[in-house]
Amino acid sequence: MISLDFNFNILTRDLSHYLENQVKVGLFGSGVGLSLVLGFSAAYTCYYLLSVAKKPQLISGGKKFCQFLREQCPVVSETYYPTFWCWESRIQTLLRPFVTAKPGVVYRNELIKAADGGQISLDWFDNDDSFSHPDPATRPTVLLLPGLTGTSRESYILHMVQQSRDLGYRCVVFNNRGVSGEMLLTPRTYCAANTEDLETVIDHIQRAHEAAPIMAAGVSMGGMMLANYLGRKGRETCLKGVVVFSAGWDVFECTASLEKPLDRFLFNSYLTSCLQASVHRHRPVLEKCYDIDHVMKARTIREFDERFTSIMFGYPTNDDYYHDASPVHRLKSVQVPMLCLNAADDVFSPSHAIPVEAVKQNPNLALLITCHGGHIGFLEGLWPRQSTYMDRVFKQFAKAVIEQGSRLTDLS
């Protein structure tokens, strides 16, 4: 035993002496430096392949819809390889707007009237150069709904327009009231629970192109609004199919997650300031009905909703608004094929609040859950400039709904 201890001490002393001399030479210019780098790279690669890159979980309320997705949308069965240097949830969420390109898109803007006298801004991409659908009367239309403070100029919207253009489809982006530069004519904006403006927009699109099939895609709050709309309308809608990205299914759980210290610092405060900036732009109209000074002192989204949103839409309490805005309560009534993509690490929509059991009870629903991806992130590739996993899901599902939609008429 003494001999063993002696040999161990000598070995430790000699190794320490060797490392000290090698570090003086320079880490990357030495054998041990190269070994450390290679060892770390190998360990990181093993961790990435074993714990990060995984196939998404596909959950559906019926075998027919699940089989349709596996056949027509192979992306749902493929391993998702997040960008290896930024796979963590918050990093994906924060970097996506900066690293993804913004394709050049020229819109045709249209302002339509709402029932209360307000106006709604629509940005059309007509795709008149479509080779596969040259007749504008029958050219398929894709309705796009941005997130909480988003417009038609968000990178994720522009990418979906680009994907639709490649397929030969027409796009129209529904900008929520007051966010895209248009004047607010009445003291009313928008919320996830109220779908009146969305119904007006869908009716307008259908009247403008009666012979063209229509499908829709919603992102974050746009997805929540779309899901709430489908839950209210049942089969009384012209939409052939819907895809929803990074939706918050239970608003109580979403706000609680965003109020954790780090997420409040990174996301909540910023989004609250964006909402307040929109209110400030339209202050002359809004201050006639609401205490704008009180609204501008809100520090979180919950406080903003308590002081503004829930009051605007006539809810007795903010809890009443949050319950009504949560799509999880209406999923059982959805009668249109709807694919929902969520990341399990999305701090905006925590994994424990993803409605797995509710989806299993409705054959018209399918849920695709990736282990990573963050909130509207889903970055992939070495340098994710041109396309994301979300873009591929959108393109394949849109094509499947438009071209194979007859197979989705009865999913029960």
Side-chain angles (χ1 to χ4, degrees):
M1 180 64 70
I2 295 175
S3 177
L4 181 62
D5 289 340
F6 176 77
N7 291 336
F8 180 78
N9 290 332
I10 293 176
L11 179 63
T12 304
R13 183 194 63 195
D14 291 345
L15 180 60
S16 298
H17 179 73
Y18 173 77
L19 288 176
E20 287 175 3
N21 282 280
Q22 289 297 323
V23 170
K24 289 178 182 178
V25 173
L27 182 61
F28 292 101
S30 65
V32 69
L34 180 60
S35 297
L36 288 173
V37 171
L38 292 176
F40 175 79
S41 300
Y44 186 87
T45 300
C46 289
Y47 177 79
Y48 176 87
L49 294 176
L50 292 174
S51 301
V52 178
K54 292 181 178 294
K55 287 187 177 182
Q57 185 180 8
L58 179 62
I59 301 162
S60 178
K63 293 182 179 180
K64 191 172 180 180
F65 194 14
C66 187
Q67 182 179 355
F68 175 86
L69 290 171
R70 293 192 185 280
E71 292 176 358
Q72 302 299 322
C73 307
V75 66
V76 305
S77 302
E78 297 173 1
T79 299
Y80 167 48
Y81 293 93
T83 298
F84 78 95
W85 51 269
C86 67
W87 49 264
E88 195 275 334
S89 168
R90 295 172 182 85
I91 298 176
Q92 283 241 345
T93 303
L94 291 169
L95 286 184
R96 181 204 50 78
F98 301 102
V99 301
T100 54
K102 286 192 173 184
V105 175
V106 178
Y107 290 114
R108 170 177 62 86
N109 184 255
E110 180 185 19
L111 296 175
I112 64 174
K113 291 292 183 181
D116 70 330
Q119 61 181 357
I120 304 169
S121 175
L122 303 179
D123 282 323
W124 292 84
F125 177 74
D126 296 303
N127 202 7
D128 289 329
D129 296 327
S130 172
F131 179 79
S132 55
H133 300 278
D135 184 359
T138 59
R139 184 177 303 142
T141 302
V142 181
L143 171 63
L144 303 176
L145 283 70
L148 181 63
T149 59
T151 69
S152 60
R153 291 297 171 185
E154 303 301 324
S155 62
Y156 57 83
I157 292 292
L158 294 172
H159 276 264
M160 286 194 281
V161 173
Q162 183 183 52
Q163 302 285 354
S164 300
R165 176 179 60 197
D166 294 343
L167 292 171
Y169 305 157
R170 171 196 298 116
C171 278
V172 55
V173 184
F174 166 35
N175 298 294
N176 287 304
R177 294 198 199 189
V179 300
S180 62
E182 80 283 6
M183 294 292 295
L184 204 61
L185 301 182
T186 59
R188 170 175 162 172
T189 56
Y190 58 94
C191 74
N194 189 282
T195 59
E196 293 174 0
D197 283 357
L198 177 56
E199 292 180 34
T200 299
V201 168
I202 292 174
D203 290 343
H204 175 76
I205 295 171
Q206 185 180 28
R207 288 195 302 270
H209 305 283
E210 295 180 354
I214 307 172
M215 65 93 57
V219 181
S220 191
M221 193 207 74
M224 296 166 65
M225 186 185 294
L226 199 50
N228 282 326
Y229 162 82
L230 292 180
R232 288 193 174 105
K233 300 296 286 186
R235 293 190 181 278
E236 297 178 3
T237 177
C238 61
L239 298 180
K240 303 301 181 185
V242 167
V243 59
V244 168
F245 301 106
S246 297
W249 299 103
D250 186 323
V251 181
F252 292 101
E253 297 295 338
C254 295
T255 52
S257 179
L258 286 172
E259 286 170 356
K260 294 177 180 178
L262 180 58
D263 298 320
R264 176 171 175 167
F265 171 75
L266 291 175
F267 307 113
N268 203 326
S269 298
Y270 172 73
L271 287 174
T272 303
S273 66
C274 289
L275 290 167
Q276 290 170 324
S278 180
V279 169
H280 180 71
R281 284 198 302 271
H282 303 289
R283 182 166 187 145
V285 175
L286 296 173
E287 65 183 357
K288 299 174 184 177
C289 301
Y290 311 104
D291 185 350
I292 301 302
D293 289 334
H294 189 49
V295 173
M296 298 303 288
K297 293 177 182 177
R299 291 295 173 262
T300 64
I301 294 174
R302 187 193 299 269
E303 289 182 0
F304 179 88
D305 289 333
E306 288 173 345
R307 303 175 185 193
F308 185 72
T309 314
S310 61
I311 297 173
M312 172 177 288
F313 288 94
Y315 289 96
T317 67
N318 194 58
D319 283 355
D320 291 308
Y321 162 53
Y322 276 8
H323 182 274
D324 198 32
S326 301
V328 65
H329 304 299
R330 296 193 177 88
L331 290 180
K332 62 182 179 181
S333 302
V334 173
Q335 299 297 314
V336 172
M338 181 167 74
L339 173 63
C340 313
L341 174 64
N342 281 88
D345 64 352
D346 185 351
V347 298
F348 284 68
S349 185
S351 60
H352 64 269
I354 296 176
V356 173
E357 293 306 316
V359 168
K360 289 180 179 179
Q361 304 304 315
N362 188 335
N364 296 290
L365 301 178
L367 185 60
L368 189 64
I369 306 175
T370 59
C371 288
H372 300 280
H375 187 70
I376 329 176
F378 302 104
L379 302 177
E380 60 183 359
L382 180 62
W383 185 245
R385 287 284 292 166
Q386 301 304 324
S387 180
T388 67
Y389 181 81
M390 175 177 138
D391 296 330
R392 293 197 291 131
V393 171
F394 167 78
K395 186 174 184 178
Q396 291 183 18
F397 185 73
K399 183 178 180 181
V401 167
I402 296 298
E403 299 182 9
Q404 302 291 331
S406 59
R407 294 177 54 186
L408 297 173
T409 53
D410 183 14
L411 294 175
S412 58

